[in-house]
Amino acid sequence: MIFQDIVNSVGMAASIISVEKKDDDHYGEIRIVCANAKYKKTMGSKYYDNMLYTELTPQEPNFEDFCFRCAVKKQHLHAYVDTKSLGLWTDGNYIPLSPDLDTETHCYYMFTFEFTTVPEAEKLSDISMETAPFIIQTCINLRGAKDFSECMNKVISDIQKKTESFCSSIIMIDKAKQKYAPLCSKFRNDEACMDDFMPYLTPEVVFSWEDTIQFHDQIIIKDDFDMDNLEKINPVWVKSLRSGGVKSLILAPLSQGKKMFGVLFITNFNTENIVKLKDFIKLTAFFLSSEIANNDLMEKLEYMSNVDLLTGVRNRNSMNSRIDWHVSNDFPVHIPYGVVFADLNGLKQINDKGGHEAGDIYLKQAAEKLKEYFGAYEIYRSGGDEFVVIAPNCPQEKFEQMVEELKESSLNAENTNDVSFAIGSAWSTEAKKLRYCMHIADEAMYADKEEYYKRNPDKIR
């Protein structure tokens, strides 16, 4: 009866939680051993002693991590979180119990909590003295900057430094319109850029986040154990993470009301500071959500994030926006860079013979062919059968090799009914020559198209 006596002596809702110990310094089942009357009244008729906590609320990895730290590692913890599964904010205290009460297989702690229907400023701001200066600095940066883009870049740089992460970024998402785009990012390695990792952030991955995070205030992966658990829920995302070399991550939603419009995405961070970072990220995401929602930036993000729905590559509006942002130096193409113009050969014949459905399949195959060679770079469908590739930060030898391999593939395709392109390219080390390079590549593409018709006089122009 000792556990029941402990919770009965507490004035607020309280329970004793057991955590099953594993040999690999991880945990197994987490159960609610017993609870006081106030806890039982709050949780309702579904409650019974020694139940799995997931019988009351959906599984919450962050809660489980705190359970393990408190029960097994005897850390006294506090968290004020948005419990989305209940539609309430939970002010929870995790109080370790004496090791004398533990067994060989189970450790115990007491969990006490209070609910609030809306976030309360006093509880939300109850953070450590170590974290407070960073939160204050973030608020100053958000409110003090005249230029929104500059402000976001400053904030994301501070977040990258605070979390000691490889990459910290903000990604804007419009699920209804099936659009998304990076707003800002900061890498530990200055030679890396967001374009290097966009191939891993496919629509299938990005648009799965909202469902994955719907019952959580944030997703935190600190080791292979957490990654394996996430894989059970979202295997497509985990495959992408592993392909991109991600070992740890934090994904915090940015939202207005109940609508998520973006995420704070942090990879390969210092996991030793996870408890302190949890509060820091929660508050930072809260303030970022407010500031971004109030900023009139959506039109710029919308045309920047346009994706061609048929082929999955970016569309003409996105390409034009990319060029404008390069010229204005808001979002420059990193030098050296290469440009490829690729115009499909034979689309008209396929449409005439098999209809537009066959033509659509051919266009999709064309996009996939370009991804084979330039998947790590920016691919745009600039017109009906025209594609453009911009390859930032690409050495000349590598660029020319990819172009030659694509040309060789296209020549072979004329005899195998595979995807065939007329191709033109240009490479430069000068940022100001992007439009000139596009002109040169375009002219070279038309010259290659003429050669195609000479080799294939029976083809209809």
Side-chain angles (χ1 to χ4, degrees):
M1 288 294 293
I2 185 170
F3 288 144
Q4 191 65 57
D5 292 340
I6 292 174
V7 292
N8 287 344
S9 67
V10 179
M12 60 196 306
S15 63
I16 301 297
I17 307 290
S18 72
V19 178
E20 182 184 11
K21 292 187 294 185
K22 294 290 188 178
D23 294 336
D24 56 0
D25 199 32
H26 286 109
Y27 55 84
E29 291 184 343
I30 298 176
R31 292 182 175 272
I32 308 171
V33 178
C34 61
N36 63 10
K38 184 170 287 189
Y39 184 101
K40 294 175 182 178
K41 182 179 179 181
T42 302
M43 290 303 179
S45 59
K46 291 172 63 176
Y47 174 83
Y48 64 91
D49 285 349
N50 206 39
M51 69 187 301
L52 291 169
Y53 91 92
T54 49
E55 296 179 68
L56 278 180
T57 61
Q59 185 177 15
E60 173 50 77
N62 297 335
F63 172 73
E64 292 183 358
D65 181 58
F66 269 41
C67 291
F68 172 75
R69 291 176 182 277
C70 183
V72 179
K73 296 192 173 183
K74 302 305 177 185
Q75 299 175 4
H76 188 170
L77 303 169
H78 169 262
Y80 184 57
V81 298
D82 183 4
T83 311
K84 295 184 177 181
S85 60
L86 301 176
L88 298 166
W89 283 73
T90 303
D91 185 10
N93 280 290
Y94 302 72
I95 306 168
L97 297 180
S98 170
D100 295 338
L101 300 175
D102 296 339
T103 67
E104 289 186 5
T105 57
H106 290 80
C107 295
Y108 301 88
Y109 79 94
M110 181 169 66
F111 179 63
T112 67
F113 71 88
E114 290 180 331
F115 286 144
T116 62
T117 55
V118 294
E120 295 183 359
E122 183 177 351
K123 295 180 183 296
L124 198 59
S125 60
D126 184 14
I127 55 178
S128 69
M129 292 299 293
E130 183 178 352
T131 300
F134 287 93
I135 298 298
I136 294 171
Q137 185 62 48
T138 298
C139 292
I140 292 173
N141 289 334
L142 288 172
R143 288 299 175 184
K146 295 180 180 180
D147 182 88
F148 183 82
S149 178
E150 179 184 337
C151 167
M152 289 295 110
N153 285 323
K154 171 61 176 170
V155 169
I156 207 67
S157 294
D158 289 345
I159 292 172
Q160 186 275 326
K161 183 177 180 180
K162 170 68 174 175
T163 57
E164 301 176 58
S165 58
F166 173 72
C167 171
S168 292
S169 62
I170 294 173
I171 300 172
M172 303 298 293
I173 302 170
D174 188 335
K175 191 173 183 180
K177 294 182 179 180
Q178 293 290 288
K179 297 175 181 178
Y180 62 95
L183 173 59
C184 57
S185 60
K186 175 62 178 177
F187 288 80
R188 182 189 303 146
N189 179 359
D190 289 336
E191 294 182 0
C193 66
M194 201 64 193
D195 288 334
D196 299 333
F197 297 90
M198 288 304 292
Y200 302 109
L201 298 178
T202 63
E204 186 179 14
V205 168
V206 173
F207 296 126
S208 73
W209 290 341
E210 188 169 9
D211 290 336
T212 302
I213 205 171
Q214 62 179 324
F215 296 124
H216 315 296
D217 61 333
Q218 53 189 298
I219 299 291
I220 298 177
I221 303 299
K222 59 186 183 302
D223 52 26
D224 289 338
F225 177 78
D226 292 342
M227 192 72 79
D228 290 341
N229 283 334
L230 179 62
E231 188 172 26
K232 298 173 185 176
I233 304 170
N234 194 331
V236 173
W237 184 19
V238 170
K239 181 180 179 180
S240 169
L241 291 170
R242 286 175 172 155
S243 298
V246 174
K247 302 295 184 183
S248 61
L249 76 91
I250 301 174
L251 184 84
L254 304 176
S255 55
Q256 185 177 31
K258 294 184 178 181
K259 182 181 178 181
M260 188 180 89
F261 59 76
V263 295
L264 177 57
F265 190 79
I266 299 167
T267 63
N268 295 353
F269 64 97
N270 184 353
T271 57
E272 293 181 4
N273 294 329
I274 185 61
V275 175
K276 296 174 183 176
L277 290 179
K278 193 174 186 300
D279 276 345
F280 168 71
I281 295 301
K282 175 185 67 179
L283 275 172
T284 301
F286 182 85
F287 291 123
L288 281 171
S289 295
S290 176
E291 191 66 20
I292 295 173
N294 289 333
N295 188 77
D296 188 18
L297 190 71
M298 297 313 296
E299 284 189 7
K300 190 176 291 184
L301 290 171
E302 186 171 322
Y303 71 64
M304 180 181 171
S305 63
N306 281 343
V307 173
D308 180 59
L309 296 181
L310 175 64
T311 61
V313 300
R314 308 179 196 189
N315 68 12
R316 186 178 185 86
N317 284 339
S318 181
M319 182 183 75
N320 291 338
S321 302
R322 182 70 171 99
I323 296 166
D324 290 343
W325 280 46
H326 171 80
V327 172
S328 65
N329 206 36
D330 288 332
F331 184 30
V333 175
H334 292 275
I335 57 173
Y337 59 83
V339 177
V340 178
F341 273 55
D343 189 273
L344 263 177
N345 292 323
L347 180 60
K348 177 172 174 53
Q349 288 82 358
I350 290 174
N351 280 332
D352 291 344
K353 185 177 180 179
H356 286 288
E357 184 176 348
D360 287 348
I361 293 173
Y362 190 48
L363 284 164
K364 292 178 183 177
Q365 291 172 338
E368 292 304 313
K369 176 66 69 174
L370 288 173
K371 290 177 185 177
E372 286 183 27
Y373 298 97
F374 297 96
Y377 300 103
E378 303 168 22
I379 304 173
Y380 302 89
R381 184 184 174 196
S382 58
D385 55 2
E386 300 171 353
F387 294 84
V388 173
V389 177
I390 299 176
N393 198 25
C394 187
Q396 184 174 15
E397 183 178 352
K398 178 181 178 181
F399 176 73
E400 291 179 349
Q401 180 181 348
M402 290 187 293
V403 171
E404 286 305 312
E405 289 176 355
L406 180 61
K407 285 183 176 181
E408 184 177 345
S409 172
S410 292
L411 283 172
N412 294 334
E414 293 179 23
N415 301 317
T416 61
N417 294 321
D418 198 358
V419 176
S420 172
F421 290 105
I423 300 164
S425 65
W427 181 88
S428 179
T429 59
E430 299 182 47
K432 293 182 179 180
K433 286 193 173 182
L434 177 60
R435 283 178 170 163
Y436 176 74
C437 280
M438 296 182 75
H439 171 72
I440 295 299
D442 190 30
E443 291 291 320
M445 182 270 290
Y446 275 108
D448 193 38
K449 178 72 78 174
E450 291 298 323
E451 291 298 319
Y452 168 78
Y453 286 125
K454 290 178 181 179
R455 293 192 304 272
N456 301 276
D458 58 316
K459 301 294 184 182
I460 303 172
R461 285 179 180 265

